[in-house]
Amino acid sequence: MTPEQLASLRIARVLVANGLSIESTVSNPAIPDSHKVFVRDTLEREQVRTLRPVLTISANRRNSAWLDEIDRQGWYYWPTLRDYLLGKGWNGDAVGSVDDETDRILRQLANPRSEAFDIRGLVLGYVQSGKTANFTALIAKAVDVGYRLIVVLSGTDNGLRRQTQIRLNRELVGYADNRPGSVPLPPAGRQWHQFTNEEPGGDFDSGRANYASLQQPGPPVLIVMKKNGSRLRRLHTWLEAAPPAVRESLPMLVIDDEADQASVDTRGDRVTAPPSADDAIEDPSIINGLIRQLLLRFARSAYVAYTATPFANILIPHDNRHHPDFGGDLYPKDFFIALPKREGYFGTEEFYGRLDLSTGEERAGMEVVKIVPDEDLIALDQGAYPAGLASALLDFILAGAARRQRGQDGEPATMLVHTSSRIDDQSLLAGQVAENLRELRDAWRYDRAGVEPRLRERWDTEFLPRTSAMDPARAVAFDEVAPHVGPFLEALRNNVREVNSQAGDILDYAAEPRLKVVAVGGNRLSRGLTLEGLLVSYFVRRSPMYDTLLQMGRWFGYRGGYADLTRIHTTEGLKTWFHDLATVEHQLREDLAVYERLDVKPEQLGMKILAHPAMLVTSRIKQRHAGSIRVRQTYAGTLAQTFKFPFDRPDELAAQADENLALARGFLAQAGTPDWSDAKGPVWTGDSSAGGNGVRGDLVLDFLRRFQVDLRLNPMSPELLAAYVERQMEQGELVRWTVAIRGRDQADPRLGSGSVNWGLTGGIIHTVARTRLSQGDSNSIGVLTSPGDEKIGLADEQVARVAAERQLAENPAARHVRPPQEGLLLLYPISRHSAPAAGSRTRRPLYDNPDDPNARDLIGLAVSFPHTENAATIFGQGAFDYVTGTLDWRAVE
């Protein structure tokens, strides 16, 4: 889409939103003839709305109909914002989604004309997913229905507060000069009273406030504050002198942005019953207490917390209600709302992949994550300039030039460098980056032959294949990008900015909408602050907490038109952690979907957060009231398989493989005589109707107990499998087993010798190839089994039933037709020479060097358990551990 086409489309969307037909819109003289076909096709596609579910856990589901009685004909602020968004380039689907989502939230608030109310809720989004756009729309609608005082608590530093103030001024308040890029100034009688402004020192000050603005009826009042004790105390002091009638009648809406930061109590006592006069109760932490007291000052108040990392908020005590001076805590007692992931959003799962806990399979991420070598970390520790950062800077130049080639030069382009929280380290590195950038610019100006081959080679190997796979229409040769390298380098001149509390550099994209910049910083780039047009990130700073690490991922968000150009340079360890966090996020939302379906109330919501062996859910003081559980496992009707091996610890893997080989040889020697008629390997048949008695359950039980896996990596624990088998055997189930070795039907010369010796006679076992994922968890092979493997050992009529159920779209898994007395154990001989097909970008070899002394052929294990009505539940080492709040988690189905 060219800039000219986009401009025509923006006009057309506004016209359609205001009631014109597509035909009338396309015929409008404002749409050039050369763009009419494009505009018509785009508008027709956008007529198909994609409705994504907004998960809602509500205490007042039956009391939300008040909004249906409101006449929207008199609304001003939301219709104005809606037109602004359409004119800005949002498509109808995106605007419609925000409209639907904010209606759902608004319904959970009280009618502002109610006599008294105290609403507290939480809105869960994704990092950099448009939460500000959502609460801006919510504010617009809230004011349209009658809320008068809007307080936005925005972060803990001036930069984020100011960014939010500018955004709200541009999209809600307007400017007296009606400057381009903002909503028009409202007409007289609807213009906002503002007690804060866009200046660096524009936080709340009583000198900018007046009580007359609070009198009803009247225009709305906007206060945008950072979460700072002295500023909040100033607001309290000013409100104390306000007329009592104002506090009793004025409907107030508080938006707490980044609500898991500073707002959560980290000090006060948990008070579960009204205290006596003699009880000594420790006050809550300062910000938490001041927010709670603000809500107490008004008889009509609604508090809506927004966050993408709700872990600390979930762990707020449900029952902390009776503090005499502060009232109830900020637990979202009235509603939880989880916003859907919109089309075009790229988050943890998209970039890093995740594990599917229900199937044990890996979901691969994008191929844009580049591993920072250990040598870079050593260089950073020594104050030297790391080679990997120089490569990342080349990526930024290429990505910026490519955006310019695509007609996107009018958009900002940013590179993030985040390696340390220490300002001295940031200052040193910023100087080094600036020097590297100057050298590259001078080389392109005066010695192009010295730098162009490096850029060409990197484009051809790192960018062109990825773009060809993701967005083939944009895949161009380097010669088409090269003319844009110089202008992009010139736009970057002197634009390495150190963003921290000392340097004073700021990123004001409103003032510099075409900004091209390398931002070097730490904590101020870690949360809330949006880096517009973020193309390349060099990020090696570790954090052992879920919420902190996720918030430092500034590269998450919408990447319209340049997702293929995004690059993330990070360590192998951080890549794995983000992959694990994608799994945590996914399961949290899956649980919310179950609770919504069962109409569970927030007060009944005992949520669980998947624990991690190396990370904390949030800081220890925020989870000081939290508990933990180990969820019992049942394996009925499931497939358990090993798909993770400790490739990053080759000596441990070698020892594990040697033990498993000796174990397998001994086990198979006791299993009896196999049937070699299956070309892929021997089978010990467990189906008595097929003439076999199978392998005894006690032999399988002993094998599972002794089989070695790395419990730090694998969600599958052989110890738990064995415990389940033992419990089922006590009931007469799983007493006989089909055991099969699943090799290749013939040797593959690419797999070394192509066979293994497991001590069996009567045939040859040919090895199979299994390769590692190149994205996501590099210790994972993704999935072990092959289609059809679970049908081994079934009788013909059982196989026919599996096929029939598949035709009926019912559950076709063979384990659902296998009798509960029989189990299936599969062994896979995996060649250490396994390698992906030439040119694969999603897979990597099993071993980088299969001839290394530590390299081994591996044994993969899969166990298919039949469905049963008598499934035991067990727990022990390797079961999933969870962190829970003060309300015990309970299993629901």
Side-chain angles (χ1 to χ4, degrees):
M1 186 186 306
T2 67
E4 293 77 15
Q5 287 176 322
L6 179 59
S8 296
L9 186 57
R10 287 173 174 171
I11 295 170
R13 284 170 174 161
V14 173
L15 294 174
V16 169
N18 283 280
L20 268 70
S21 67
I22 292 179
E23 190 62 40
S24 298
T25 298
V26 173
S27 301
N28 193 291
I31 309 299
D33 291 342
S34 58
H35 297 164
K36 290 185 184 298
V37 173
F38 163 78
V39 168
R40 182 194 302 277
D41 291 345
T42 305
L43 291 177
E44 287 176 349
R45 285 197 306 271
E46 291 179 357
Q47 293 301 298
V48 181
R49 287 284 310 281
T50 304
L51 294 177
R52 297 174 177 85
V54 181
L55 297 177
T56 304
I57 311 296
S58 175
N60 304 297
R61 194 180 297 274
R62 295 185 182 88
N63 299 326
S64 62
W66 66 269
L67 186 59
D68 297 330
E69 307 300 321
I70 300 292
D71 181 7
R72 302 192 182 211
Q73 284 297 104
W75 285 18
Y76 171 82
Y77 299 98
W78 165 242
T80 303
L81 174 58
R82 181 174 179 271
D83 284 349
Y84 168 84
L85 295 175
L86 290 166
K88 188 180 174 182
W90 285 43
N91 63 42
D93 194 25
V95 175
S97 294
V98 170
D99 195 1
D100 294 338
E101 293 161 11
T102 48
D103 265 9
R104 292 286 290 268
I105 302 170
L106 189 63
R107 288 180 186 282
Q108 301 306 312
L109 307 186
N111 187 332
R113 294 171 178 80
S114 302
E115 185 174 343
F117 52 85
D118 172 24
I119 300 293
R120 305 189 187 195
L122 181 140
V123 177
L124 168 61
Y126 293 86
V127 176
Q128 299 283 92
S129 65
K131 296 186 302 299
T132 304
N134 187 281
F135 73 65
T136 301
L138 178 64
I139 290 170
K141 290 184 175 182
V143 172
D144 278 326
V145 299
Y147 281 85
R148 283 283 323 288
L149 175 61
I150 309 297
V151 179
V152 179
L153 304 173
S154 183
T156 59
D157 65 78
N158 284 325
L160 184 54
R161 188 213 72 82
R162 184 168 176 265
Q163 177 180 277
T164 304
Q165 180 85 61
I166 292 171
R167 176 81 173 266
L168 294 176
N169 284 358
R170 190 168 65 236
E171 299 185 0
L172 285 179
V173 178
Y175 295 91
D177 59 2
N178 278 323
R179 65 190 61 173
S182 65
V183 297
L185 187 71
R190 293 185 181 270
Q191 294 175 12
W192 290 75
H193 294 295
Q194 292 196 84
F195 296 171
T196 55
N197 61 45
E198 296 180 6
E199 299 302 318
D203 209 332
F204 180 81
D205 190 299
S206 59
R208 286 189 286 269
N210 65 85
Y211 299 119
S213 302
L214 302 180
Q215 300 298 321
Q216 296 235 62
V221 176
L222 177 63
I223 301 174
V224 182
M225 307 181 65
K226 61 179 176 289
K227 288 182 261 191
N228 173 276
S230 64
R231 292 291 178 175
L232 283 166
R233 288 190 192 97
R234 291 184 191 184
L235 177 60
H236 275 284
T237 300
W238 184 77
L239 287 172
E240 283 176 5
V246 167
R247 297 198 298 269
E248 292 171 5
S249 63
L250 193 70
M252 176 181 67
L253 171 62
V254 176
I255 300 292
D256 188 352
D257 191 18
E258 306 294 344
D260 61 308
Q261 183 188 37
S263 302
V264 176
D265 184 14
T266 57
R267 190 179 69 189
D269 290 332
R270 179 181 170 197
V271 183
T272 59
S276 68
D278 298 329
D279 289 338
I281 303 172
E282 184 175 9
D283 288 348
S285 51
I286 291 172
I287 303 301
N288 175 269
L290 289 169
I291 295 173
R292 288 159 66 177
Q293 287 179 322
L294 175 63
L295 301 176
L296 282 179
R297 289 191 181 279
F298 290 83
R300 304 176 181 181
S301 67
Y303 168 86
V304 183
Y306 276 80
T307 183
T309 48
F311 312 112
N313 305 82
I314 286 171
L315 299 176
I316 295 172
H318 292 58
D319 49 7
N320 202 2
R321 293 283 182 268
H322 302 289
H323 197 293
D325 297 323
F326 300 94
D329 208 341
L330 299 179
Y331 180 79
K333 64 182 179 63
D334 294 292
F335 65 88
F336 278 86
I337 285 181
L339 300 177
K341 185 183 294 185
R342 280 198 216 117
E343 184 179 355
Y345 175 77
F346 295 87
T348 47
E349 180 177 341
E350 287 71 25
F351 282 124
Y352 300 98
R354 67 169 174 85
L355 172 65
D356 189 326
L357 292 177
S358 62
T359 65
E361 296 182 11
E362 287 283 351
R363 304 291 180 90
M366 295 166 60
E367 299 175 45
V368 298
V369 180
K370 304 300 173 185
I371 301 303
V372 172
D374 292 342
E375 291 77 13
D376 273 26
L377 305 182
I378 295 170
L380 287 166
D381 285 342
Q382 297 174 347
Y385 188 59
L389 181 51
S391 296
L393 192 60
L394 291 179
D395 287 352
F396 181 49
I397 292 167
L398 287 167
R403 285 204 78 187
R404 195 176 189 279
Q405 183 268 333
R406 295 175 183 183
Q408 299 170 349
D409 187 47
E411 303 296 325
T414 306
M415 176 176 176
L416 164 68
V417 180
H418 188 163
T419 64
S420 170
S421 62
R422 297 180 66 248
I423 291 177
D424 289 347
D425 294 341
Q426 297 164 22
S427 298
L428 174 63
L429 197 58
Q432 293 169 333
V433 172
E435 178 62 20
N436 186 193
L437 189 57
R438 184 192 63 77
E439 291 171 354
L440 290 169
R441 186 176 63 249
D442 287 350
W444 189 264
R445 284 175 174 176
Y446 310 120
D447 183 24
R448 188 169 299 186
V451 68
E452 184 171 335
R454 292 162 58 198
L455 289 168
R456 180 184 296 274
E457 190 273 338
R458 197 154 185 89
W459 178 262
D460 289 343
T461 59
E462 293 291 338
F463 283 87
L464 190 56
R466 183 85 297 263
T467 301
S468 297
M470 288 183 64
D471 195 355
R474 296 182 187 272
V476 298
F478 177 75
D479 289 335
E480 294 190 46
V481 176
H484 302 277
V485 170
F488 186 74
L489 282 167
E490 297 301 326
L492 275 173
R493 187 174 59 255
N494 302 322
N495 259 353
V496 177
R497 300 193 187 178
E498 188 182 339
V499 184
N500 55 47
S501 58
Q502 286 189 9
D505 288 347
I506 62 171
L507 301 177
D508 188 345
Y509 295 98
E512 301 177 271
R514 300 165 62 97
L515 179 64
K516 313 293 188 286
V517 64
V518 179
V520 183
N523 290 342
R524 291 210 167 179
L525 295 176
S526 298
R527 178 184 281 269
L529 192 66
T530 299
L531 301 179
E532 301 282 356
L534 182 58
L535 293 170
V536 176
S537 299
Y538 183 88
F539 177 81
V540 299
R541 182 180 167 193
R542 292 167 65 91
S543 170
M545 291 176 286
Y546 292 9
D547 43 14
T548 303
L549 189 60
L550 279 171
Q551 289 288 351
M552 286 196 288
R554 295 292 92 196
W555 48 87
F556 301 135
Y558 298 94
R559 297 285 175 266
Y562 61 95
D564 59 305
L565 303 176
T566 304
R567 294 294 181 273
I568 304 166
H569 295 254
T570 192
T571 65
E572 184 77 55
L574 283 171
K575 175 185 170 185
T576 300
W577 279 10
F578 276 113
H579 162 274
D580 294 343
L581 288 176
T583 304
V584 172
E585 286 187 299
H586 182 78
Q587 187 178 44
L588 187 66
R589 285 175 169 82
E590 281 195 326
D591 286 351
L592 283 172
V594 173
Y595 297 140
E596 178 191 44
R597 189 169 64 249
L598 296 175
D599 197 20
V600 175
K601 306 295 188 289
E603 293 282 355
Q604 305 166 325
L605 198 62
M607 293 198 70
K608 67 186 195 302
I609 304 167
L610 185 65
H612 191 277
M615 285 189 285
L616 296 171
V617 167
T618 185
S619 67
R620 294 190 186 278
I621 54 176
K622 289 181 181 178
Q623 62 180 60
R624 67 195 191 285
H625 298 303
S628 63
I629 58 170
R630 175 163 288 176
V631 176
R632 295 169 179 259
Q633 300 293 299
T634 184
Y635 293 100
T638 66
L639 174 70
Q641 56 183 312
T642 54
F643 56 90
K644 290 189 177 184
F645 300 85
F647 293 106
D648 55 355
R649 299 186 299 279
D651 53 339
E652 294 181 25
L653 179 55
Q656 179 192 107
D658 291 342
E659 289 188 35
N660 284 341
L661 176 59
L663 175 66
R665 289 169 65 98
F667 167 64
L668 297 174
Q670 300 178 70
T673 303
D675 177 1
W676 285 90
S677 61
D678 190 317
K680 291 189 175 181
V683 178
W684 291 257
T685 303
D687 179 16
S688 57
S689 66
N693 292 320
V695 178
R696 299 195 320 268
D698 61 310
L699 291 178
V700 172
L701 185 61
D702 180 68
F703 177 77
L704 290 175
R705 282 175 173 155
R706 297 166 57 194
F707 192 85
Q708 299 293 308
V709 302
D710 191 318
L711 292 176
R712 290 168 291 185
L713 298 175
N714 278 282
M716 188 206 80
S717 164
E719 179 184 335
L720 289 181
L721 299 183
Y724 176 77
V725 171
E726 184 174 35
R727 293 283 296 277
Q728 296 307 110
M729 288 179 65
E730 292 171 357
Q731 306 179 75
E733 298 185 353
L734 296 180
V735 292
R736 60 180 182 268
W737 287 72
T738 293
V739 175
I741 298 174
R742 305 306 288 160
R744 291 179 57 86
D745 53 7
Q746 57 186 346
D748 185 339
R750 295 171 296 182
L751 299 179
S753 67
S755 64
V756 293
N757 179 10
W758 285 3
L760 297 173
T761 59
I764 299 174
I765 301 172
H766 301 299
T767 54
V768 297
R770 294 291 186 271
T771 54
R772 285 194 277 167
L773 300 177
S774 60
Q775 300 294 321
D777 187 348
S778 62
N779 284 313
S780 176
I781 62 173
V783 64
L784 174 67
T785 59
S786 298
D789 285 355
E790 287 189 83
K791 291 188 291 186
I792 293 173
L794 293 180
D796 291 343
E797 64 270 17
Q798 292 171 321
V799 174
R801 181 179 163 195
V802 172
E805 288 184 352
R806 184 179 290 113
Q807 292 287 333
L808 295 172
E810 296 178 7
N811 192 329
R815 52 188 176 269
H816 286 268
V817 302
R818 194 180 301 274
Q821 293 78 23
E822 300 171 11
L824 173 65
L825 187 148
L826 304 169
L827 297 174
Y828 295 80
I830 304 173
S831 172
R832 67 181 182 275
H833 294 277
S834 300
S840 172
R841 298 181 63 84
T842 61
R843 290 281 173 171
R844 60 187 290 187
L846 198 70
Y847 287 95
D848 294 331
N849 178 13
D851 296 320
D852 186 278
N854 278 322
R856 297 287 192 277
D857 293 332
L858 303 177
I859 298 178
L861 168 69
V863 186
S864 176
F865 291 102
H867 176 74
T868 175
E869 300 297 332
N870 305 304
T873 56
I874 44 84
F875 66 97
Q877 183 182 7
F880 293 126
D881 290 317
Y882 293 87
V883 174
T884 61
T886 54
L887 186 65
D888 290 339
W889 177 80
R890 57 190 174 89
V892 292
E893 297 180 355

